[in-house]
Every structure is written in C-alpha cells, then in structure tokens.
Amino acid sequence: MDWRFMWRRDLFEWEAEMLRHLICEIGTAAFRNEGPDSTMWPADLSNCYSVKSAYSILSEAPNPSSQIIINKVWNKFMPLKVSVFAWQVIQNRFPSKENLVKRGILTVDAHFCEGGYGIIESTSHLFLECPTAVKVWSDIICWLGVSASSHNQISDNFIAFSGVFQGKKSQETGLRIIWLACLWSIWKARNAKIFQNKDICCSSIVEETKLLS
C-alpha cells in the first residue's frame, strides 16, 4: 500500500524520523477487506485503552536500574511539577538547548550555556558541570555539613547525593527533596536569564533551594 501524506509545512528532522518510524510500523500491518475495522490497545490485556496502561508505557525506563531511580523521584512532599521535571531530566527529555537543536527548534549556534562559558547546554553541563552549578552544589553540601563525591551523570549524582548519610533511610527522603529542589532552582535561574535577562546568582539559587526544600 502506498501512503501519501500531506503537511502544512516542511517537517523538522526529528518529525521526519518519527514519520519514517510510523511508516515502518504500519507497513507491517495486514488489512482485511471483510468485516468492520476495530481498534486494539496492545498495552493492556483487555486490548482496550486505559489511563493506567498508558501511564505505565510513558513512565517505563530503558532498564531496571533507571526505573528504580525514576520511582524515587516521585515525592509527595514536593510540588508535582518539580517531580515531573526531574523525571524528564533523568531521561534527558526536557528542553535543554542541546535537545532543542536535535529537534530542529534552535540553530546550532544557539545551543550554548547561558553562563557564558562557550559550552553546549547539555543535561550534565547545565546541572552538574557548569561552574555555576558546581558552586551551587558545593554550597549545598557545605550547608548540610557533609562530604560527597561529584558525578557528571544525573542518575549517578542523584544516587550519590541521596546516600551521603551512609544508609540512614530516615534521612534519605530529605536528601532527595533537597536534590529535587536544587535541580528545579537551577532551571528557574536559567530560564530567568533567558526570558527576563536576570543575572544568574549562585547564592540566590542556594537560598531558593533551601526555601523550597
């Protein structure tokens, strides 16, 4: 079967890739002339759509270890928007400049960190490697009165930070809250720089983290 699609505009590269994937998927479908058409939802045993099964697909991590980390991000003590954002960051599905370039929304020359260091704004750079982020995390660690090793991978950093009190489960939840709050505060400061032209201040980010957590 020959599929002919018509679009109101040219597709971005990431959209064209999705279209190619769609064509491959529907190319394997077998169509029958007899009987009415029906819709089936393979993610549920009943073959009927349910919100629960859709949520399960969306929240599924690529491997079991990542799933454990993602499950720990959801915290009843934090605003839902913060947990949702952290869930996106851990899976690298948030609108960093690097991701926006990949999606064709920004040009290559617009994907640098707002800190002015001439580095691509990737997930690890924005939240962990940028000198601003390094200073913020250092001040947070100092505020807690502990020592912790630094990791340049979001998932590893989350695990290490949550365990700085060495197995004290009663304090692990509090550390997760602080980590989530710091992530959110860095993101807010970055957006304020872009959309409101406000200077990024490490001490303000630290105070915002303390207040939120």
Side-chain angles (χ1 to χ4, degrees), residues 91-111:
Q91 299 183 92
N92 196 24
R93 296 181 179 179
F94 77 109
S96 66
K97 290 186 178 181
E98 181 183 47
N99 286 339
L100 292 177
V101 168
K102 291 179 181 178
R103 297 171 189 171
I105 298 173
L106 291 181
T107 58
V108 176
D109 59 352
H111 67 349

Side-chain angles (χ1 to χ4, degrees), residues 49-70:
Y49 173 82
S50 68
V51 174
K52 182 178 180 180
S53 61
Y55 172 80
S56 177
I57 292 175
L58 291 173
S59 60
E60 184 178 354
N63 57 70
S65 59
S66 296
Q67 187 64 57
I68 293 174
I69 296 171
I70 290 172

Side-chain angles (χ1 to χ4, degrees), residues 35-162:
D37 293 334
S38 62
T39 302
M40 299 179 65
W41 178 255
D44 193 273
L45 293 177
S46 66
N47 289 325
C48 296
Y49 173 82
S50 68
V51 174
K52 182 178 180 180
S53 61
Y55 172 80
S56 177
I57 292 175
L58 291 173
S59 60
E60 184 178 354
N63 57 70
S65 59
S66 296
Q67 187 64 57
I68 293 174
I69 296 171
I70 290 172
N71 289 341
K72 291 182 178 181
V73 163
W74 304 104
N75 195 302
K76 64 181 180 180
F77 299 109
M78 290 298 289
L80 181 59
K81 63 182 179 181
V82 177
S83 292
V84 170
F85 175 70
W87 171 74
Q88 293 176 318
V89 170
I90 288 175
Q91 299 183 92
N92 196 24
R93 296 181 179 179
F94 77 109
S96 66
K97 290 186 178 181
E98 181 183 47
N99 286 339
L100 292 177
V101 168
K102 291 179 181 178
R103 297 171 189 171
I105 298 173
L106 291 181
T107 58
V108 176
D109 59 352
H111 67 349
F112 295 110
C113 170
E114 285 298 317
Y117 301 103
I119 306 297
I120 296 174
E121 188 193 75
S122 62
T123 302
S124 58
H125 176 78
L126 175 60
F127 295 109
L128 302 176
E129 299 171 349
C130 177
T132 299
V134 171
K135 172 62 175 173
V136 168
W137 286 110
S138 176
D139 289 351
I140 292 295
I141 292 296
C142 183
W143 169 56
L144 292 172
V146 296
S147 59
S149 57
S150 177
H151 295 269
N152 62 356
Q153 295 294 327
I154 285 290
S155 297
D156 293 339
N157 186 275
F158 177 71
I159 293 173
F161 189 87
S162 300

Side-chain angles (χ1 to χ4, degrees), residues 18-35:
M18 292 177 66
L19 176 59
R20 288 191 288 270
H21 178 72
L22 172 62
I23 293 175
C24 288
E25 287 290 320
I26 62 179
T28 61
F31 296 93
R32 299 179 301 176
N33 294 326
E34 68 278 3

